[in-house]
C-alpha cells in the first residue's frame, strides 16, 4: 500500500493528522508495511504493534526498529488509538544496542577526499548532490532524505534536521553551489534505505574499505573531528560555533537559553565557519 492509497482510506481528520505527524517520506515505509500486514482498522491492539515491531527487529537493525516504533506511534495517534507506548517498546524488546552496534566508524580526511574525487570524476548527479551536502554540513541520513527542491535557495539551504535539533537555513558555499542548485529531483524518492545504498556505491568507487556500521554518519563524525582541531587552533572560533553549525540539540537548560538569546545571523555565522571548513576545498575545480 502506498502513502496516497493509505490517506484516501482514512477520514479527513485522520489523514490530516497523519500528514502532520509525519514530515519525512521515509517514515511512511513502516506504516504502510504495518497496514499491509494487519489491514487498515481503528481497533489495533497492543499485540498488533508488539508483534510487528518484533518482526522488524529480527529482520533489520536496531536503529530501524526504533525508527519504526516512532512511525507507528504517529499512526496510532492519528487514528486516536490509546496505546501505552512505553509498554509497547518494552515488550518489543528494543534493548540497548550491543557493543558492536555502538561502534562508531569515522571516515578520515583522506577517505573523504577519495570519495569526493571519485564522484567528481565518475559519479551520478545524485551521488555528487548527497555527498556534497554530507561533506559540507555533516548531514545525517534522515536530513539528506528530507531535502526538497524548494529548500535550495540562491545562497543558502534549508536543513530539516533530525534528532530534535534546530531546523535552519545554512549558507550554501560557492564550491558546491552548482552541484546543489543544478540537481534535478524529478520526483525521485530517496528514502533512508536508498541513501544507504548510495553511500556504499560511492565508497566502493573510492576504494574505501567497508567497516561495520559505516554510513553517512561516519562522514559527520569525521567532519566534527577535523573541525574541532581547526576550532581549537584558530582565534575567534569556539565549540559553540561548531555546535550550531552541525545542528545539535541543546542538552542542557543553559545551552538552550544561549541558543534562544543568540541573535547572530546563522547564515553569516556559517559563512565564517566555511572559512575554516576542513573539507569544502575538496569540491573546488582543479
Amino acid at each position: 500500500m502506498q502513502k496516497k492509497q493509505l490517506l484516501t482510506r482514512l477520514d479527513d481528520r485522520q489523514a490530516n493528522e497523519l500528514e502532520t505527524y509525519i514530515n519525512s517520506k521515509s517514515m511512511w515505509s513502516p506504516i504502510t508495511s504495518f497496514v499491509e500486514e494487519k489491514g487498515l482498522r481503528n481497533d489495533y491492539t497492543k499485540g498488533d504493534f508488539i508483534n510487528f515491531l518484533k518482526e522488524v527487529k529480527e529482520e533489520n537493525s536496531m536503529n530501524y526498529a526504533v525508527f519504526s516504533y516512532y512511525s507507528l506511534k504517529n499512526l496510532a495517534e492519528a487514528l486516536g488509538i490509546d496505546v501505552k507506548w512505553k509498554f509497547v517498546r518494552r515488550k518489543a524488546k528494543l534493548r540497548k544496542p550491543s557493543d558492536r552496534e555502538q561502534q562508531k566508524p569515522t571516515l578520515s580526511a583522506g577517505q573523504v577526499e577519495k570519495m569526493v574525487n571519485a564522484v567528481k570524476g565518475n559519479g551520478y548527479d545524485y551521488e555528487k548532490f548527497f555527498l556534497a551536502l554530507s561533506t559540507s554540513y555533516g548531514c545525517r541520513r534522515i536530513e539528506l532524505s528530507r531535502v526538497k527542491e524548494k529548500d535550495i535557495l540562491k545562497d543558502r539551504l534549508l536543513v530539516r534536521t533530525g534528532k530534535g535539533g534546530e531546523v535552519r537555513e545554512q549558507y550554501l558555499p560557492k564550491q558546491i553551489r552548482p552541484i546543489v542548485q543544478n540537481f534535478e529531483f524529478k520526483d525521485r524518492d530517496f528514502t533512508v534505505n536508498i541513501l544507504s545504498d548510495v553511500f556504499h556505491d560511492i565508497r566502493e568507487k573510492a576504494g574505501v574499505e567497508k567497516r561495520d556500521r559505516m554510513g553517512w554518519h561516519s562522514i559527520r563524525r569525521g567532519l566534527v573531528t577535523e573541525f574541532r582541531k581547526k576550532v581549537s587552533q584558530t582565534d575567534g572560533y569556539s565549540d559553540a560555533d561548531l555546535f550550531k553549525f552541525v545542528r545539535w540539540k541543546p542538552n542542557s537548560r543553559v545551552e538552550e537559553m544561549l541558543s534562544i538569546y543568540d541573535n547572530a545571523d546563522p547564515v553569516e555565522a556559517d559563512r565564517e565557519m566555511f572559512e575554516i571548513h576542513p573539507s569544502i576545498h575538496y569540491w573546488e575545480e582543479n
Side-chain angles (χ1 to χ4, degrees), residues 225-239 276:
T225 300
E226 295 300 318
F227 243 134
R228 284 292 304 276
K229 298 175 185 177
K230 297 272 189 177
V231 165
S232 64
Q233 296 169 2
T234 309
D235 291 337
Y237 297 89
S238 69
D239 282 347
I276 62 168

Side-chain angles (χ1 to χ4, degrees), residues 165-180:
E166 182 182 2
V167 178
R168 50 165 297 202
E169 288 184 351
Q170 299 206 239
Y171 176 65
L172 185 59
K174 64 181 184 300
Q175 291 91 337
I176 66 167
R177 205 172 288 174
I179 294 172
V180 175

Side-chain angles (χ1 to χ4, degrees), residues 39-182:
L40 182 59
R41 315 194 311 264
N42 286 314
D43 61 347
Y44 296 124
T45 65
K46 295 172 187 174
D48 290 328
F49 293 108
I50 293 169
N51 292 332
F52 182 81
L53 287 170
K54 283 181 178 178
E55 293 173 2
V56 168
K57 178 178 169 294
E58 289 172 359
E59 299 174 3
N60 300 274
S61 68
M62 176 63 68
N63 284 343
Y64 189 74
V66 174
F67 176 76
S68 298
Y69 156 78
Y70 285 111
S71 296
L72 292 178
K73 180 179 179 183
N74 291 329
L75 173 64
E77 289 175 344
L79 296 177
I81 298 171
D82 182 17
V83 179
K84 295 181 179 179
W85 285 98
K86 288 184 179 179
F87 174 79
V88 169
R89 193 172 184 181
R90 182 173 66 252
K91 290 296 184 180
K93 296 182 179 178
L94 300 181
R95 65 182 187 283
K96 179 182 177 181
S98 66
D99 291 340
R100 184 190 68 81
E101 289 172 323
Q102 293 188 71
Q103 290 176 3
K104 298 178 179 179
T106 302
L107 286 169
S108 67
Q111 289 173 317
V112 171
E113 185 174 13
K114 288 174 69 174
M115 291 177 72
V116 172
N117 289 337
V119 300
K120 283 173 67 175
N122 184 32
Y124 294 107
D125 63 337
Y126 59 84
E127 291 176 332
K128 296 176 185 178
F129 178 75
F130 289 116
L131 188 62
L133 297 184
S134 175
T135 56
S136 299
Y137 305 106
C139 289
R140 304 173 176 94
R141 185 176 61 163
I142 187 68
E143 292 170 343
L144 293 174
S145 74
R146 290 175 176 174
V147 177
K148 310 297 180 190
E149 189 170 4
K150 64 183 179 181
D151 300 332
I152 301 170
L153 308 175
K154 182 178 180 180
D155 64 347
R156 59 195 65 193
L157 171 78
L158 180 65
V159 178
R160 303 177 188 278
T161 191
K163 294 195 173 181
E166 182 182 2
V167 178
R168 50 165 297 202
E169 288 184 351
Q170 299 206 239
Y171 176 65
L172 185 59
K174 64 181 184 300
Q175 291 91 337
I176 66 167
R177 205 172 288 174
I179 294 172
V180 175
Q181 293 180 337
N182 294 330

Side-chain angles (χ1 to χ4, degrees), residues 21-47:
Y21 282 124
I22 298 184
N23 52 18
S24 164
K25 286 185 179 179
S26 58
M27 289 190 76
W28 287 99
S29 176
I31 289 176
T32 53
S33 296
F34 177 82
V35 172
E36 285 176 354
E37 180 177 316
K38 307 293 183 183
L40 182 59
R41 315 194 311 264
N42 286 314
D43 61 347
Y44 296 124
T45 65
K46 295 172 187 174

Side-chain angles (χ1 to χ4, degrees), residues 2-3 6 46 71 132 134 144 223 225 230 264 271-272 282:
Q2 299 298 313
K3 167 186 171 182
L6 173 58
K46 295 172 187 174
S71 296
S134 175
L144 293 174
L223 179 64
T225 300
K230 297 272 189 177
R271 195 192 303 269
E272 294 180 7
Y282 298 155

